[in-house]
Amino acid sequence: MARTKKDVLYDAVVVGGGPSGRIAALALARSGLQTALIAPLEAPADERTTALWQKSLDLLKDLGIWNEIELNAEPLKKMRMIDGTERLIRAPETVFNSAELGVEEFGYNIVNSKMNDVLAKACAIEANLTCVDDFAEEADFSGTQATITTKSGLAVTAALAVAADGRNSKMRSAAGIEVKRWSYPQTALVLNLDHTLPHHGVSTEFHTATGPFTLVPLPGRRSSLVCVETAETAERLKTMNKALLARELEDRARSVLGKFTVISEPQTFPLSGMTAQSVIAPRLALLGETAHVFPPVGAQGLNLSMRDISDLVSTVATAKQKGQDLGSLTALKPYETKRMSDIRSRTNAVDMLNRSLLTEFLPVQAARSVGMYLAGKIGPFRRLLMREGMAPGTGFQLRP
Ligand SMILES: Cc1cc2nc3c(=O)[nH]c(=O)nc-3n(C[C@H](O)[C@H](O)[C@H](O)COP(=O)(O)OP(=O)(O)OC[C@H]3O[C@@H](n4cnc5c(N)ncnc54)[C@H](O)[C@@H]3O)c2cc1C
């Protein structure tokens, strides 16, 4: 059950109860900060799944919540890329195997609704964490403390506010942080499937002329699907009779997993991007989709948010050790420096990957095919791509 306190001065107040906000609140509280989390307890069920790489899992393990999340997650052992275009120059099929990196799996595919349940439960019993079951309505960052006022009129005051209230963040607007937004001519159709053949822990990604069609393993003979299409086709698929939809999707998947049954309501997500111009302001730090949004290509969004959280916790711990004011720009500056370069490079990489599939420009198609060919043939290059996909900056470390 959520506890509430009035008129208490906190070290940190986190706004937003998505995965980024809850994990950040837990991590800050665990680091010894008196923390408040402003988040409505009732959240719409999220039937999507999220692939998290090893580094992200390490954070969940450190917080002691991984064992419970793992019960509804499936290890991702191999990734198979298939060029599903009809183009003149096509890439050969390439398989990335986690065993080549000396690990049992790249990461796990997790059912969002189950992860959110575990996070809500963990937040409710965390010693240094006070959960406020409400929406943040107003924010004042002008004084020596941040004050967040909730819809029901409660004022929560802290040295540092952390905005994790999503892409249309009120907190970010209140601080006057500008964003850059853009969109793509694509929509992702997302659903879960039962299938008659086992997936053996292999995720399969068909590269099509409209974007990736990706099947990601779930426990049992079950997978999640992200099918990136034109907006019109995605809407047509979404409203189709489920049996016919299953047939069409099975054809697109070349029956690699046998016969499909659609087991969740299909959802659509228009593809777009957004980057905040800064992730700090006086008394405020941004993280998760409040700071960066990009298309669901390459499973990078929440993984990037997990690095936001780790960097924020270590920045604040250093500031505390130095006796600095936790919400001051001096204390937060290292967070800005670390995060902006990672956010920009990931955003550019996902953007390039997505656009390289869409382009009709022959030299780009050829470059992508050569890249996939080299990845298939040259072990060190393939391992570099795998390491960079999982954790930026680790790809260039010399390892066998
Ligand atoms: C189809 C799809 C597939 C994806 N797959 C992957 C994947 O495989 N791997 C990966 O790493 N990423 C993936 N992502 C990205 C990932 O889902 C997002 O990065 C992640 O959900 C963002 O979480 P968040 O907590 O930052 O934001 P959100 O989930 O948007 O949470 C924001 C929260 O803030 C709350 N809120 C808003 N306003 C207020 C307010 N005023 N007061 C209090 N609370 C407020 C909202 O209710 C919400 O709960 C995928 C995304 C999509 C669309």
PDB file of all heavy atoms in Angstrom, residues 15-21 38-40 48-52 112 134-136 164-166 170 190 226 269 287-290 296 299-303 305, ligand 1:
ATOM      1  N   VAL A  15       9.096  12.293 -10.593  1.00  0.00           N
ATOM      2  CA  VAL A  15       7.732  12.407 -11.126  1.00  0.00           C
ATOM      3  C   VAL A  15       7.578  11.455 -12.311  1.00  0.00           C
ATOM      4  O   VAL A  15       8.351  11.535 -13.280  1.00  0.00           O
ATOM      5  CB  VAL A  15       7.433  13.858 -11.568  1.00  0.00           C
ATOM      6  CG1 VAL A  15       6.021  13.955 -12.157  1.00  0.00           C
ATOM      7  CG2 VAL A  15       7.593  14.820 -10.401  1.00  0.00           C
ATOM      8  N   GLY A  16       6.592  10.537 -12.222  1.00  0.00           N
ATOM      9  CA  GLY A  16       6.324   9.613 -13.330  1.00  0.00           C
ATOM     10  C   GLY A  16       6.519   8.174 -12.907  1.00  0.00           C
ATOM     11  O   GLY A  16       7.574   7.831 -12.372  1.00  0.00           O
ATOM     12  N   GLY A  17       5.489   7.358 -13.147  1.00  0.00           N
ATOM     13  CA  GLY A  17       5.533   5.967 -12.677  1.00  0.00           C
ATOM     14  C   GLY A  17       5.683   4.953 -13.795  1.00  0.00           C
ATOM     15  O   GLY A  17       5.258   3.813 -13.667  1.00  0.00           O
ATOM     16  N   GLY A  18       6.294   5.360 -14.939  1.00  0.00           N
ATOM     17  CA  GLY A  18       6.672   4.374 -15.957  1.00  0.00           C
ATOM     18  C   GLY A  18       7.897   3.622 -15.439  1.00  0.00           C
ATOM     19  O   GLY A  18       8.360   3.873 -14.314  1.00  0.00           O
ATOM     20  N   PRO A  19       8.438   2.711 -16.251  1.00  0.00           N
ATOM     21  CA  PRO A  19       9.600   1.951 -15.755  1.00  0.00           C
ATOM     22  C   PRO A  19      10.773   2.856 -15.373  1.00  0.00           C
ATOM     23  O   PRO A  19      11.411   2.627 -14.336  1.00  0.00           O
ATOM     24  CB  PRO A  19       9.960   1.030 -16.924  1.00  0.00           C
ATOM     25  CG  PRO A  19       9.135   1.468 -18.085  1.00  0.00           C
ATOM     26  CD  PRO A  19       7.979   2.235 -17.566  1.00  0.00           C
ATOM     27  N   SER A  20      11.035   3.922 -16.151  1.00  0.00           N
ATOM     28  CA  SER A  20      12.188   4.786 -15.826  1.00  0.00           C
ATOM     29  C   SER A  20      12.005   5.447 -14.463  1.00  0.00           C
ATOM     30  O   SER A  20      12.927   5.466 -13.642  1.00  0.00           O
ATOM     31  CB  SER A  20      12.366   5.901 -16.869  1.00  0.00           C
ATOM     32  OG  SER A  20      12.388   5.384 -18.154  1.00  0.00           O
ATOM     33  N   GLY A  21      10.811   6.002 -14.215  1.00  0.00           N
ATOM     34  CA  GLY A  21      10.571   6.722 -12.961  1.00  0.00           C
ATOM     35  C   GLY A  21      10.664   5.797 -11.760  1.00  0.00           C
ATOM     36  O   GLY A  21      11.294   6.132 -10.755  1.00  0.00           O
ATOM     37  N   ILE A  38       6.125  10.656  -7.223  1.00  0.00           N
ATOM     38  CA  ILE A  38       4.755  11.081  -7.526  1.00  0.00           C
ATOM     39  C   ILE A  38       4.307  10.337  -8.787  1.00  0.00           C
ATOM     40  O   ILE A  38       4.826  10.574  -9.891  1.00  0.00           O
ATOM     41  CB  ILE A  38       4.677  12.609  -7.757  1.00  0.00           C
ATOM     42  CG1 ILE A  38       5.174  13.358  -6.509  1.00  0.00           C
ATOM     43  CG2 ILE A  38       3.248  13.024  -8.112  1.00  0.00           C
ATOM     44  CD1 ILE A  38       5.176  14.874  -6.643  1.00  0.00           C
ATOM     45  N   ALA A  39       3.399   9.384  -8.609  1.00  0.00           N
ATOM     46  CA  ALA A  39       2.959   8.558  -9.734  1.00  0.00           C
ATOM     47  C   ALA A  39       1.611   7.956  -9.417  1.00  0.00           C
ATOM     48  O   ALA A  39       1.436   7.400  -8.335  1.00  0.00           O
ATOM     49  CB  ALA A  39       3.967   7.438  -9.964  1.00  0.00           C
ATOM     50  N   PRO A  40       0.674   8.057 -10.356  1.00  0.00           N
ATOM     51  CA  PRO A  40      -0.621   7.402 -10.104  1.00  0.00           C
ATOM     52  C   PRO A  40      -0.431   5.888 -10.048  1.00  0.00           C
ATOM     53  O   PRO A  40       0.301   5.329 -10.868  1.00  0.00           O
ATOM     54  CB  PRO A  40      -1.468   7.815 -11.305  1.00  0.00           C
ATOM     55  CG  PRO A  40      -0.509   8.305 -12.342  1.00  0.00           C
ATOM     56  CD  PRO A  40       0.737   8.733 -11.654  1.00  0.00           C
ATOM     57  N   ARG A  48       2.888  -4.653 -24.119  1.00  0.00           N
ATOM     58  CA  ARG A  48       4.136  -4.724 -24.897  1.00  0.00           C
ATOM     59  C   ARG A  48       5.189  -5.492 -24.121  1.00  0.00           C
ATOM     60  O   ARG A  48       5.041  -5.771 -22.941  1.00  0.00           O
ATOM     61  CB  ARG A  48       4.677  -3.314 -25.151  1.00  0.00           C
ATOM     62  CG  ARG A  48       3.901  -2.525 -26.168  1.00  0.00           C
ATOM     63  CD  ARG A  48       4.450  -1.143 -26.271  1.00  0.00           C
ATOM     64  NE  ARG A  48       4.364  -0.438 -25.006  1.00  0.00           N
ATOM     65  CZ  ARG A  48       5.035   0.667 -24.714  1.00  0.00           C
ATOM     66  NH1 ARG A  48       5.863   1.195 -25.573  1.00  0.00           N
ATOM     67  NH2 ARG A  48       4.886   1.262 -23.555  1.00  0.00           N
ATOM     68  N   THR A  49       6.268  -5.801 -24.805  1.00  0.00           N
ATOM     69  CA  THR A  49       7.398  -6.427 -24.117  1.00  0.00           C
ATOM     70  C   THR A  49       8.636  -5.572 -24.389  1.00  0.00           C
ATOM     71  O   THR A  49       8.658  -4.778 -25.334  1.00  0.00           O
ATOM     72  CB  THR A  49       7.645  -7.860 -24.629  1.00  0.00           C
ATOM     73  OG1 THR A  49       8.147  -7.800 -25.971  1.00  0.00           O
ATOM     74  CG2 THR A  49       6.376  -8.697 -24.576  1.00  0.00           C
ATOM     75  N   THR A  50       9.637  -5.727 -23.545  1.00  0.00           N
ATOM     76  CA  THR A  50      10.855  -4.929 -23.686  1.00  0.00           C
ATOM     77  C   THR A  50      12.071  -5.842 -23.611  1.00  0.00           C
ATOM     78  O   THR A  50      12.198  -6.625 -22.661  1.00  0.00           O
ATOM     79  CB  THR A  50      10.939  -3.897 -22.536  1.00  0.00           C
ATOM     80  OG1 THR A  50       9.772  -3.076 -22.584  1.00  0.00           O
ATOM     81  CG2 THR A  50      12.159  -3.009 -22.688  1.00  0.00           C
ATOM     82  N   ALA A  51      12.944  -5.716 -24.599  1.00  0.00           N
ATOM     83  CA  ALA A  51      14.206  -6.464 -24.545  1.00  0.00           C
ATOM     84  C   ALA A  51      15.219  -5.623 -23.784  1.00  0.00           C
ATOM     85  O   ALA A  51      15.479  -4.480 -24.154  1.00  0.00           O
ATOM     86  CB  ALA A  51      14.699  -6.745 -25.965  1.00  0.00           C
ATOM     87  N   LEU A  52      15.728  -6.176 -22.708  1.00  0.00           N
ATOM     88  CA  LEU A  52      16.741  -5.461 -21.927  1.00  0.00           C
ATOM     89  C   LEU A  52      18.070  -6.209 -22.018  1.00  0.00           C
ATOM     90  O   LEU A  52      18.114  -7.437 -21.861  1.00  0.00           O
ATOM     91  CB  LEU A  52      16.320  -5.349 -20.462  1.00  0.00           C
ATOM     92  CG  LEU A  52      15.196  -4.356 -20.149  1.00  0.00           C
ATOM     93  CD1 LEU A  52      14.924  -4.312 -18.654  1.00  0.00           C
ATOM     94  CD2 LEU A  52      15.518  -2.940 -20.662  1.00  0.00           C
ATOM     95  N   ASN A 112       6.053  -6.165 -20.180  1.00  0.00           N
ATOM     96  CA  ASN A 112       6.001  -4.868 -19.483  1.00  0.00           C
ATOM     97  C   ASN A 112       5.064  -4.868 -18.280  1.00  0.00           C
ATOM     98  O   ASN A 112       5.411  -4.367 -17.210  1.00  0.00           O
ATOM     99  CB  ASN A 112       5.540  -3.766 -20.441  1.00  0.00           C
ATOM    100  CG  ASN A 112       6.611  -3.386 -21.444  1.00  0.00           C
ATOM    101  OD1 ASN A 112       7.588  -4.111 -21.621  1.00  0.00           O
ATOM    102  ND2 ASN A 112       6.435  -2.264 -22.116  1.00  0.00           N
ATOM    103  N   ASP A 134      -0.625  10.124  -7.161  1.00  0.00           N
ATOM    104  CA  ASP A 134      -1.261  11.327  -7.711  1.00  0.00           C
ATOM    105  C   ASP A 134      -0.509  11.777  -8.977  1.00  0.00           C
ATOM    106  O   ASP A 134       0.583  11.282  -9.262  1.00  0.00           O
ATOM    107  CB  ASP A 134      -1.186  12.450  -6.655  1.00  0.00           C
ATOM    108  CG  ASP A 134      -2.310  13.469  -6.819  1.00  0.00           C
ATOM    109  OD1 ASP A 134      -2.974  13.463  -7.876  1.00  0.00           O
ATOM    110  OD2 ASP A 134      -2.507  14.277  -5.896  1.00  0.00           O
ATOM    111  N   PHE A 135      -1.080  12.726  -9.694  1.00  0.00           N
ATOM    112  CA  PHE A 135      -0.401  13.358 -10.831  1.00  0.00           C
ATOM    113  C   PHE A 135       0.251  14.652 -10.357  1.00  0.00           C
ATOM    114  O   PHE A 135      -0.320  15.353  -9.520  1.00  0.00           O
ATOM    115  CB  PHE A 135      -1.399  13.719 -11.933  1.00  0.00           C
ATOM    116  CG  PHE A 135      -1.710  12.579 -12.846  1.00  0.00           C
ATOM    117  CD1 PHE A 135      -2.834  11.796 -12.641  1.00  0.00           C
ATOM    118  CD2 PHE A 135      -0.866  12.278 -13.910  1.00  0.00           C
ATOM    119  CE1 PHE A 135      -3.112  10.735 -13.484  1.00  0.00           C
ATOM    120  CE2 PHE A 135      -1.133  11.220 -14.765  1.00  0.00           C
ATOM    121  CZ  PHE A 135      -2.264  10.438 -14.545  1.00  0.00           C
ATOM    122  N   ALA A 136       1.420  14.966 -10.879  1.00  0.00           N
ATOM    123  CA  ALA A 136       2.022  16.272 -10.616  1.00  0.00           C
ATOM    124  C   ALA A 136       1.307  17.294 -11.492  1.00  0.00           C
ATOM    125  O   ALA A 136       1.080  17.056 -12.684  1.00  0.00           O
ATOM    126  CB  ALA A 136       3.499  16.241 -10.963  1.00  0.00           C
ATOM    127  N   ALA A 164      10.439  12.091 -14.950  1.00  0.00           N
ATOM    128  CA  ALA A 164      10.319  10.853 -15.733  1.00  0.00           C
ATOM    129  C   ALA A 164       8.861  10.735 -16.159  1.00  0.00           C
ATOM    130  O   ALA A 164       8.292   9.652 -16.180  1.00  0.00           O
ATOM    131  CB  ALA A 164      10.753   9.663 -14.887  1.00  0.00           C
ATOM    132  N   ASP A 165       8.243  11.895 -16.474  1.00  0.00           N
ATOM    133  CA  ASP A 165       6.805  11.912 -16.773  1.00  0.00           C
ATOM    134  C   ASP A 165       6.516  11.841 -18.272  1.00  0.00           C
ATOM    135  O   ASP A 165       5.469  12.287 -18.730  1.00  0.00           O
ATOM    136  CB  ASP A 165       6.112  13.125 -16.110  1.00  0.00           C
ATOM    137  CG  ASP A 165       6.787  14.455 -16.397  1.00  0.00           C
ATOM    138  OD1 ASP A 165       7.988  14.439 -16.730  1.00  0.00           O
ATOM    139  OD2 ASP A 165       6.140  15.508 -16.291  1.00  0.00           O
ATOM    140  N   GLY A 166       7.463  11.257 -19.024  1.00  0.00           N
ATOM    141  CA  GLY A 166       7.188  10.891 -20.401  1.00  0.00           C
ATOM    142  C   GLY A 166       7.408  11.984 -21.428  1.00  0.00           C
ATOM    143  O   GLY A 166       7.821  13.092 -21.127  1.00  0.00           O
ATOM    144  N   LYS A 170       5.290  17.607 -18.265  1.00  0.00           N
ATOM    145  CA  LYS A 170       4.950  18.923 -17.694  1.00  0.00           C
ATOM    146  C   LYS A 170       6.149  19.507 -16.970  1.00  0.00           C
ATOM    147  O   LYS A 170       6.341  20.717 -16.917  1.00  0.00           O
ATOM    148  CB  LYS A 170       3.830  18.752 -16.660  1.00  0.00           C
ATOM    149  CG  LYS A 170       2.455  18.826 -17.226  1.00  0.00           C
ATOM    150  CD  LYS A 170       1.424  18.922 -16.108  1.00  0.00           C
ATOM    151  CE  LYS A 170       0.044  19.053 -16.734  1.00  0.00           C
ATOM    152  NZ  LYS A 170      -1.023  18.891 -15.816  1.00  0.00           N
ATOM    153  N   VAL A 190       2.029  -3.699 -32.945  1.00  0.00           N
ATOM    154  CA  VAL A 190       2.644  -4.472 -31.866  1.00  0.00           C
ATOM    155  C   VAL A 190       1.619  -5.442 -31.287  1.00  0.00           C
ATOM    156  O   VAL A 190       0.488  -5.044 -30.983  1.00  0.00           O
ATOM    157  CB  VAL A 190       3.143  -3.512 -30.754  1.00  0.00           C
ATOM    158  CG1 VAL A 190       3.796  -4.278 -29.617  1.00  0.00           C
ATOM    159  CG2 VAL A 190       4.123  -2.497 -31.326  1.00  0.00           C
ATOM    160  N   VAL A 226       6.963  -6.867 -33.360  1.00  0.00           N
ATOM    161  CA  VAL A 226       6.931  -5.449 -33.729  1.00  0.00           C
ATOM    162  C   VAL A 226       7.055  -5.422 -35.252  1.00  0.00           C
ATOM    163  O   VAL A 226       8.081  -5.828 -35.796  1.00  0.00           O
ATOM    164  CB  VAL A 226       8.077  -4.636 -33.079  1.00  0.00           C
ATOM    165  CG1 VAL A 226       8.031  -3.185 -33.554  1.00  0.00           C
ATOM    166  CG2 VAL A 226       7.985  -4.689 -31.559  1.00  0.00           C
ATOM    167  N   PHE A 269       1.754   2.223 -32.945  1.00  0.00           N
ATOM    168  CA  PHE A 269       2.565   3.336 -32.432  1.00  0.00           C
ATOM    169  C   PHE A 269       3.201   4.049 -33.624  1.00  0.00           C
ATOM    170  O   PHE A 269       4.121   3.494 -34.246  1.00  0.00           O
ATOM    171  CB  PHE A 269       3.685   2.817 -31.508  1.00  0.00           C
ATOM    172  CG  PHE A 269       3.177   2.148 -30.274  1.00  0.00           C
ATOM    173  CD1 PHE A 269       2.831   0.789 -30.286  1.00  0.00           C
ATOM    174  CD2 PHE A 269       3.021   2.856 -29.102  1.00  0.00           C
ATOM    175  CE1 PHE A 269       2.342   0.168 -29.144  1.00  0.00           C
ATOM    176  CE2 PHE A 269       2.528   2.249 -27.950  1.00  0.00           C
ATOM    177  CZ  PHE A 269       2.194   0.903 -27.979  1.00  0.00           C
ATOM    178  N   LEU A 287      15.071  12.174 -17.286  1.00  0.00           N
ATOM    179  CA  LEU A 287      15.544  10.857 -17.728  1.00  0.00           C
ATOM    180  C   LEU A 287      14.427  10.093 -18.431  1.00  0.00           C
ATOM    181  O   LEU A 287      13.258  10.471 -18.382  1.00  0.00           O
ATOM    182  CB  LEU A 287      16.161  10.053 -16.583  1.00  0.00           C
ATOM    183  CG  LEU A 287      15.421   9.816 -15.280  1.00  0.00           C
ATOM    184  CD1 LEU A 287      14.361   8.760 -15.420  1.00  0.00           C
ATOM    185  CD2 LEU A 287      16.436   9.376 -14.208  1.00  0.00           C
ATOM    186  N   GLY A 288      14.818   9.007 -19.118  1.00  0.00           N
ATOM    187  CA  GLY A 288      13.859   8.181 -19.861  1.00  0.00           C
ATOM    188  C   GLY A 288      13.252   8.945 -21.025  1.00  0.00           C
ATOM    189  O   GLY A 288      13.888   9.852 -21.587  1.00  0.00           O
ATOM    190  N   GLU A 289      12.018   8.599 -21.362  1.00  0.00           N
ATOM    191  CA  GLU A 289      11.393   9.218 -22.549  1.00  0.00           C
ATOM    192  C   GLU A 289      11.097  10.695 -22.356  1.00  0.00           C
ATOM    193  O   GLU A 289      10.685  11.369 -23.291  1.00  0.00           O
ATOM    194  CB  GLU A 289      10.121   8.448 -22.942  1.00  0.00           C
ATOM    195  CG  GLU A 289      10.458   7.127 -23.591  1.00  0.00           C
ATOM    196  CD  GLU A 289       9.488   6.673 -24.662  1.00  0.00           C
ATOM    197  OE1 GLU A 289       8.320   7.078 -24.622  1.00  0.00           O
ATOM    198  OE2 GLU A 289       9.917   5.899 -25.530  1.00  0.00           O
ATOM    199  N   THR A 290      11.294  11.222 -21.171  1.00  0.00           N
ATOM    200  CA  THR A 290      11.202  12.670 -20.970  1.00  0.00           C
ATOM    201  C   THR A 290      12.387  13.356 -21.666  1.00  0.00           C
ATOM    202  O   THR A 290      12.293  14.509 -22.087  1.00  0.00           O
ATOM    203  CB  THR A 290      11.253  12.981 -19.454  1.00  0.00           C
ATOM    204  OG1 THR A 290      10.303  12.139 -18.800  1.00  0.00           O
ATOM    205  CG2 THR A 290      10.941  14.423 -19.164  1.00  0.00           C
ATOM    206  N   PRO A 296      11.045   2.087 -32.129  1.00  0.00           N
ATOM    207  CA  PRO A 296      11.353   0.787 -31.521  1.00  0.00           C
ATOM    208  C   PRO A 296      12.125  -0.109 -32.484  1.00  0.00           C
ATOM    209  O   PRO A 296      11.650  -1.143 -32.931  1.00  0.00           O
ATOM    210  CB  PRO A 296       9.971   0.216 -31.198  1.00  0.00           C
ATOM    211  CG  PRO A 296       9.053   0.860 -32.166  1.00  0.00           C
ATOM    212  CD  PRO A 296       9.622   2.195 -32.504  1.00  0.00           C
ATOM    213  N   ALA A 299      15.794  -2.234 -30.112  1.00  0.00           N
ATOM    214  CA  ALA A 299      15.574  -2.367 -28.664  1.00  0.00           C
ATOM    215  C   ALA A 299      16.524  -1.498 -27.844  1.00  0.00           C
ATOM    216  O   ALA A 299      17.345  -1.997 -27.081  1.00  0.00           O
ATOM    217  CB  ALA A 299      15.708  -3.842 -28.255  1.00  0.00           C
ATOM    218  N   GLN A 300      16.433  -0.188 -28.018  1.00  0.00           N
ATOM    219  CA  GLN A 300      17.396   0.690 -27.352  1.00  0.00           C
ATOM    220  C   GLN A 300      16.777   1.626 -26.310  1.00  0.00           C
ATOM    221  O   GLN A 300      17.471   2.101 -25.425  1.00  0.00           O
ATOM    222  CB  GLN A 300      18.124   1.538 -28.410  1.00  0.00           C
ATOM    223  CG  GLN A 300      18.970   0.731 -29.373  1.00  0.00           C
ATOM    224  CD  GLN A 300      20.147   0.060 -28.692  1.00  0.00           C
ATOM    225  OE1 GLN A 300      20.753   0.605 -27.783  1.00  0.00           O
ATOM    226  NE2 GLN A 300      20.473  -1.146 -29.124  1.00  0.00           N
ATOM    227  N   GLY A 301      15.450   1.918 -26.400  1.00  0.00           N
ATOM    228  CA  GLY A 301      14.850   2.997 -25.598  1.00  0.00           C
ATOM    229  C   GLY A 301      15.029   2.876 -24.091  1.00  0.00           C
ATOM    230  O   GLY A 301      15.644   3.728 -23.443  1.00  0.00           O
ATOM    231  N   LEU A 302      14.508   1.796 -23.508  1.00  0.00           N
ATOM    232  CA  LEU A 302      14.599   1.666 -22.053  1.00  0.00           C
ATOM    233  C   LEU A 302      16.028   1.337 -21.623  1.00  0.00           C
ATOM    234  O   LEU A 302      16.460   1.707 -20.538  1.00  0.00           O
ATOM    235  CB  LEU A 302      13.605   0.609 -21.544  1.00  0.00           C
ATOM    236  CG  LEU A 302      13.437   0.560 -20.035  1.00  0.00           C
ATOM    237  CD1 LEU A 302      12.979   1.907 -19.465  1.00  0.00           C
ATOM    238  CD2 LEU A 302      12.449  -0.520 -19.621  1.00  0.00           C
ATOM    239  N   ASN A 303      16.771   0.665 -22.509  1.00  0.00           N
ATOM    240  CA  ASN A 303      18.181   0.391 -22.181  1.00  0.00           C
ATOM    241  C   ASN A 303      18.956   1.693 -22.011  1.00  0.00           C
ATOM    242  O   ASN A 303      19.799   1.821 -21.124  1.00  0.00           O
ATOM    243  CB  ASN A 303      18.813  -0.474 -23.276  1.00  0.00           C
ATOM    244  CG  ASN A 303      18.368  -1.928 -23.178  1.00  0.00           C
ATOM    245  OD1 ASN A 303      18.800  -2.652 -22.284  1.00  0.00           O
ATOM    246  ND2 ASN A 303      17.474  -2.334 -24.062  1.00  0.00           N
ATOM    247  N   SER A 305      17.562   4.507 -21.085  1.00  0.00           N
ATOM    248  CA  SER A 305      17.045   5.094 -19.836  1.00  0.00           C
ATOM    249  C   SER A 305      17.739   4.490 -18.616  1.00  0.00           C
ATOM    250  O   SER A 305      17.959   5.169 -17.613  1.00  0.00           O
ATOM    251  CB  SER A 305      15.543   4.843 -19.713  1.00  0.00           C
ATOM    252  OG  SER A 305      14.888   5.229 -20.887  1.00  0.00           O
TER     253      SER A 305
HETATM  254  C1  LIG B   1       6.457  -0.783 -29.527  1.00  0.00           C
HETATM  255  C2  LIG B   1       7.604  -0.434 -28.616  1.00  0.00           C
HETATM  256  C3  LIG B   1       8.548  -1.407 -28.318  1.00  0.00           C
HETATM  257  C4  LIG B   1       9.646  -1.092 -27.497  1.00  0.00           C
HETATM  258  N1  LIG B   1      10.576  -2.056 -27.240  1.00  0.00           N
HETATM  259  C5  LIG B   1      11.660  -1.747 -26.499  1.00  0.00           C
HETATM  260  C6  LIG B   1      12.664  -2.731 -26.241  1.00  0.00           C
HETATM  261  O1  LIG B   1      12.549  -3.877 -26.666  1.00  0.00           O
HETATM  262  N2  LIG B   1      13.747  -2.357 -25.494  1.00  0.00           N
HETATM  263  C7  LIG B   1      13.897  -1.087 -24.998  1.00  0.00           C
HETATM  264  O2  LIG B   1      14.908  -0.813 -24.327  1.00  0.00           O
HETATM  265  N3  LIG B   1      12.954  -0.145 -25.216  1.00  0.00           N
HETATM  266  C8  LIG B   1      11.843  -0.450 -25.950  1.00  0.00           C
HETATM  267  N4  LIG B   1      10.885   0.497 -26.166  1.00  0.00           N
HETATM  268  C9  LIG B   1      11.011   1.803 -25.513  1.00  0.00           C
HETATM  269  C10 LIG B   1      10.445   1.729 -24.089  1.00  0.00           C
HETATM  270  O3  LIG B   1       9.160   1.165 -24.102  1.00  0.00           O
HETATM  271  C11 LIG B   1      10.376   3.138 -23.515  1.00  0.00           C
HETATM  272  O4  LIG B   1      11.673   3.679 -23.538  1.00  0.00           O
HETATM  273  C12 LIG B   1       9.885   3.132 -22.068  1.00  0.00           C
HETATM  274  O5  LIG B   1       8.623   2.580 -21.946  1.00  0.00           O
HETATM  275  C13 LIG B   1       9.843   4.540 -21.572  1.00  0.00           C
HETATM  276  O6  LIG B   1       9.565   4.505 -20.195  1.00  0.00           O
HETATM  277  P1  LIG B   1       9.479   5.847 -19.395  1.00  0.00           P
HETATM  278  O7  LIG B   1       9.212   5.450 -17.982  1.00  0.00           O
HETATM  279  O8  LIG B   1      10.655   6.712 -19.688  1.00  0.00           O
HETATM  280  O9  LIG B   1       8.238   6.622 -20.012  1.00  0.00           O
HETATM  281  P2  LIG B   1       6.691   6.261 -19.925  1.00  0.00           P
HETATM  282  O10 LIG B   1       6.498   4.792 -19.978  1.00  0.00           O
HETATM  283  O11 LIG B   1       6.007   7.107 -20.947  1.00  0.00           O
HETATM  284  O12 LIG B   1       6.257   6.716 -18.465  1.00  0.00           O
HETATM  285  C14 LIG B   1       5.892   8.028 -18.142  1.00  0.00           C
HETATM  286  C15 LIG B   1       4.965   7.930 -16.955  1.00  0.00           C
HETATM  287  O13 LIG B   1       4.743   9.232 -16.442  1.00  0.00           O
HETATM  288  C16 LIG B   1       3.381   9.333 -16.069  1.00  0.00           C
HETATM  289  N5  LIG B   1       3.011  10.739 -16.038  1.00  0.00           N
HETATM  290  C17 LIG B   1       2.780  11.577 -17.068  1.00  0.00           C
HETATM  291  N6  LIG B   1       2.465  12.810 -16.635  1.00  0.00           N
HETATM  292  C18 LIG B   1       2.527  12.747 -15.275  1.00  0.00           C
HETATM  293  C19 LIG B   1       2.308  13.692 -14.243  1.00  0.00           C
HETATM  294  N7  LIG B   1       1.955  14.948 -14.527  1.00  0.00           N
HETATM  295  N8  LIG B   1       2.448  13.277 -12.963  1.00  0.00           N
HETATM  296  C20 LIG B   1       2.795  12.011 -12.652  1.00  0.00           C
HETATM  297  N9  LIG B   1       3.004  11.077 -13.597  1.00  0.00           N
HETATM  298  C21 LIG B   1       2.879  11.440 -14.888  1.00  0.00           C
HETATM  299  C22 LIG B   1       2.634   8.514 -17.124  1.00  0.00           C
HETATM  300  O14 LIG B   1       1.380   8.121 -16.613  1.00  0.00           O
HETATM  301  C23 LIG B   1       3.600   7.355 -17.304  1.00  0.00           C
HETATM  302  O15 LIG B   1       3.319   6.311 -16.394  1.00  0.00           O
HETATM  303  C24 LIG B   1       9.782   0.214 -26.987  1.00  0.00           C
HETATM  304  C25 LIG B   1       8.823   1.193 -27.288  1.00  0.00           C
HETATM  305  C26 LIG B   1       7.744   0.880 -28.099  1.00  0.00           C
HETATM  306  C27 LIG B   1       6.740   1.945 -28.427  1.00  0.00           C
END
